[in-house]
Amino acid sequence: MHRASEDHRSVAFPHLVLPLLRDTARLLGAEPDRVALFMASGTGGWEVALTNTLPPGAQVLLPCAGHFANLWGDSARRLGFAVETVPEMEWGDAPSPERIASILAADTHHRFAAILVVHNETSTGVTADLPAIRAAIDKAGHPALLMIDGVSSIGSLEYRHDDWRVDVAITGSQKGLMLPAGLAIVAFSERALAAANTVTGPRAYFDLRPMLAQNADGYFPYTPSIPMLYGLRESVGMLLDEGLDQVAQRHARLARGVRAAVAAWRLPICCRNAASTSNTVTTIMTPAGIDARKIVSHAFTKYDLSLGGGLGPLAGKAFRIGHMGWLNEGMLFGALGLTAMALTDCGVPASAADACAAAAAVWHGDAS
Ligand code: PLP
């Protein structure tokens, strides 16, 4: 990423952009001419998804049991869309395909134009079953677009845009793609692209039409961030070289070790169903009377360890261990050992030795 800037209108520039778009699309399992890169964070990706495919004021269905689902819903409301949440979801729940199927089946007038699903809820450490949700929409025979937020899944967890028939997927550069924040990557289906050409709501910076028109020739409608494009070139290359199946397996294996370590501390995780535990982030509940914020700030100041804080209603009640991106067992041993020390300092006795031994038993047992 550290290089002299270059002319993004030069004849050479498409030699960077065209293969980059092709390989980024491969990473998502989408066709290259249906992937776009916007200079924004993931939040900008939400806006790209919504404004380019939905008619003004459209109604959307949101399974909402976490901070980022809340924020996506909030963005949609502020853009003038009507958001209906799936009832009776608790933080720690995954979206229920059965409940989605029954809500959509009851929507005989097809009021819902889209269903917004956070693939991996970074606040709770819960992963949604996207193929089952796609099947639920099909079972209900409902035409709603399936939009997914893959900010903390894409590049780490299995994601197959075209095979799973997702209509719009968004991600940001700063998680599985291992870069600074600054790129929103958005993939579309044929149907979503067709919608982008007909919807009438206002769009300017995030208008997909000039973006795709210029991308087709290897250019951008406005000045792209050259360092971010070179960074993406490197990170997509790393992931494709490792192999997407291997990347997903690595995260699954590492996450099993983290969960084994947390179990050794006898601390509960936020995710309420073992089948939905996230392989990129583990949200750990702290005992009553212990403020999780103190653990996070103590870990940072005393041990230079960045834990995630509890978000929304989990503030003070939970902390998070992120395990996405370029990561191996050695790095996690360090994080788990230091977490145990910070916990103990803050009045939650936790053994570094037990945690590392529990993780090692998992990693030794099934390392491949
Ligand atoms: N969606 C999810 C699942 C996230 O984890 C985040 C950020 O952590 C966002 C959306 C928001 O992305 P950004 O902070 O890049 O705007």
Side-chain angles (χ1 to χ4, degrees):
M1 296 173 75
H2 284 217
R3 57 176 63 228
S5 201
E6 68 184 76
D7 176 6
H8 68 98
R9 308 266 184 221
S10 80
V11 288
F13 201 60
H15 295 300
L16 167 67
V17 174
L18 292 173
L20 177 60
L21 286 170
R22 190 189 63 224
D23 287 348
T24 305
R26 248 179 85 201
L27 179 80
L28 275 84
E31 286 294 317
D33 56 352
R34 290 195 265 106
V35 170
L37 307 176
F38 286 87
M39 306 299 134
S41 76
T43 302
W46 286 337
E47 189 161 332
V48 172
L50 297 166
T51 57
N52 279 288
T53 59
L54 298 177
Q59 180 139 18
V60 298
L61 179 65
L62 175 73
C64 189
H67 185 67
F68 293 102
N70 259 346
L71 290 179
W72 196 5
D74 190 45
S75 279
R77 282 185 203 97
R78 284 189 282 155
L79 290 164
F81 301 107
V83 180
E84 196 167 310
T85 53
V86 172
E88 290 166 28
M89 282 186 75
E90 305 251 350
W91 281 45
D93 283 340
S96 155
E98 295 74 27
R99 205 171 303 159
I100 290 168
S102 74
I103 293 171
L104 293 182
D107 180 30
T108 48
H109 295 296
H110 296 166
R111 287 174 311 123
F112 292 118
I115 164 161
L116 317 185
V117 179
V118 176
H119 184 197
N120 187 78
E121 179 50 76
T122 324
S123 59
T124 54
V126 171
T127 304
D129 184 345
L130 293 182
I133 292 172
R134 173 78 259 173
I137 299 170
D138 292 347
K139 185 172 159 217
H142 199 289
L145 294 172
L146 173 58
M147 293 193 194
I148 74 103
D149 169 331
V151 169
S152 59
S153 63
I154 290 171
S156 302
L157 308 184
E158 182 184 26
Y159 180 70
R160 298 177 186 274
H161 187 79
D162 286 348
D163 289 353
W164 293 350
R165 293 177 28 250
V166 173
D167 291 296
V168 189
I170 69 113
T171 190
S173 44
Q174 75 273 24
K175 290 199 168 61
L177 289 161
M178 306 170 282
L179 296 170
L183 281 182
I185 299 162
V186 191
F188 294 84
S189 65
E190 288 288 357
R191 212 156 65 92
L193 274 193
N197 286 319
T198 56
V199 293
T200 55
R203 286 168 284 171
Y205 186 76
F206 288 137
D207 192 337
L208 185 64
R209 293 164 296 177
M211 183 59 83
L212 288 183
Q214 295 266 334
N215 279 178
D217 297 325
Y219 295 101
F220 285 79
Y222 36 74
T223 313
S225 164
I226 308 274
M228 290 303 292
L229 295 181
Y230 278 101
L232 187 67
R233 176 63 280 167
E234 193 61 30
S235 68
V236 167
M238 284 167 70
L239 291 164
L240 293 177
D241 282 352
E242 183 177 353
L244 298 179
D245 290 346
Q246 283 76 8
V247 169
Q249 282 164 21
R250 174 165 56 85
H251 284 93
R253 186 175 79 239
L254 294 173
R256 279 196 298 276
V258 172
R259 290 192 291 268
V262 174
W265 296 328
R266 300 189 194 289
L267 292 176
I269 60 171
C270 178
C271 180
R272 286 151 62 97
N273 178 344
S276 309
T277 47
S278 166
N279 286 336
T280 55
V281 57
T282 300
T283 302
I284 299 155
M285 308 304 295
T286 44
I290 301 286
D291 187 343
R293 283 171 285 224
K294 290 214 176 96
I295 298 166
V296 173
S297 65
H298 181 76
F300 186 76
T301 47
K302 177 128 192 231
Y303 300 116
D304 199 15
L305 172 70
S306 274
L307 295 170
L311 296 170
L314 297 180
K317 296 183 180 155
F319 69 94
R320 295 172 298 144
I321 299 179
H323 33 90
M324 59 189 89
W326 182 242
L327 193 68
N328 62 26
E329 289 84 348
M331 297 173 194
L332 274 174
F333 276 135
L336 293 170
L338 292 174
T339 302
M341 287 157 67
L343 281 166
T344 305
D345 293 347
C346 294
V348 185
S351 159
D354 289 354
C356 291
V362 172
W363 295 332
H364 243 168
D366 68 2
S368 51

